[in-house]
């Protein structure tokens, strides 16, 4: 039988009523829904997660957001992101996809969500970087050199921020 196995449900009373009465939904402990051995055993398992920012090496932050006038604000914890990303990387034929918009706003005041180097929380490391997607394309980071990672990540950034990222990568000597 097919069912959705979830680790929790948070919402209004009608959601709780649905989950309690729906036979295709099964609540289970996170050892089951996020268990590394269970996820890694799923052929072609693809984890799709969103984050707040990714740096030019593919490291991702899903915990704190940059504020327009400087500083940071805690907006979440790591939750199951690391479990699912690692499950996707370990599963036969699996992938781990990080999806985000290239900047924080649609207008010219938006900050780049592709940054030279994470300065704060690193939720996913460079070694865990696989696929990153923005509205400008896809970067396939698994097994490529640092120089190639940087090139691909700059292409994912909003065009207004690409020159700045290119310059910062040279100043910081990220590929070397």
């Amino acid at each position: 039988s097919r069912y959705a196995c979830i680790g929790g449900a948070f919402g209004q009373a009608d959601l709780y009523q649905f989950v309690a009465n729906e036979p295709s939904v099964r609540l289970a402990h996170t050892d089951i829904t996020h268990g590394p051995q269970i996820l890694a055993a799923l052929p072609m398992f693809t984890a799709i997660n969103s984050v707040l920012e990714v740096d030019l090496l593919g490291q991702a932050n899903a915990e704190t957001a940059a504020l327009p006038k400087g500083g940071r604000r805690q907006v979440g914890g790591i939750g199951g992101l690391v479990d699912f990303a690692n499950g996707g990387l370990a599963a036969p034929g699996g992938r781990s996809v990080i999806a985000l918009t290239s900047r924080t706003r649609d207008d010219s005041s938006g900050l780049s969500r592709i940054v030279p180097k994470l300065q704060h929380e690193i939720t996913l490391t460079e070694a865990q970087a696989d696929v990153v997607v923005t509205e400008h394309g896809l970067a396939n980071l698994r097994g490529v050199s640092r120089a190639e990672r940087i090139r691909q990540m700059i292409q994912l950034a909003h065009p207004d921020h690409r020159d700045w990222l290119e310059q910062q990568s040279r100043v910081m000597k990220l590929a070397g």
Side-chain angles (χ1 to χ4, degrees):
S1 70
R2 288 188 144 326
Y3 58 86
C5 188
I6 59 175
F10 305 98
Q12 304 288 332
D14 57 343
L15 172 66
Y16 301 136
Q17 184 75 28
F18 171 79
V19 170
N21 295 321
E22 178 56 46
S24 65
V25 175
R26 176 179 163 214
L27 282 173
H29 191 276
T30 55
D31 288 347
I32 302 294
T33 61
H34 297 51
Q37 295 84 2
I38 291 171
L39 297 174
L42 299 171
M44 306 293 289
F45 176 68
T46 301
I48 303 173
N49 289 288
S50 64
V51 298
L52 298 165
E53 62 186 356
V54 178
D55 72 16
L56 294 176
L57 301 177
Q59 299 180 120
N61 163 26
E63 301 170 55
T64 61
L67 297 172
K69 294 181 181 179
R72 314 272 310 166
R73 179 171 58 102
Q74 184 78 28
V75 295
I78 59 173
L81 188 149
V82 173
D83 296 326
F84 282 96
N86 287 339
L89 292 171
R95 299 307 298 252
S96 173
V97 178
I98 297 299
L100 70 162
T101 58
S102 65
R103 59 184 180 180
T104 57
R105 299 174 62 108
D106 290 338
D107 61 30
S108 62
S109 69
L111 301 172
S112 182
R113 294 178 74 191
I114 309 295
V115 298
K117 187 111 170 98
L118 290 182
Q119 301 299 313
H120 301 278
E121 286 72 26
I122 297 173
T123 309
L124 288 179
T125 68
E126 178 181 352
Q128 294 166 302
D130 188 11
V131 176
V132 180
V133 178
T134 73
E135 70 274 23
H136 299 290
L138 176 144
N140 190 350
L141 304 179
R142 190 186 289 190
V144 300
S145 68
R146 278 188 156 197
E148 179 61 16
R149 283 171 179 259
I150 292 166
R151 187 192 70 73
Q152 288 189 47
M153 290 302 297
I154 289 172
Q155 292 306 304
L156 290 184
H158 190 278
D160 292 350
H161 301 289
R162 290 178 185 165
D163 289 343
W164 170 73
L165 288 166
E166 181 71 39
Q167 181 224 8
Q168 289 299 305
S169 74
R170 285 192 300 274
V171 166
M172 297 172 74
K173 298 179 178 153
L174 292 175

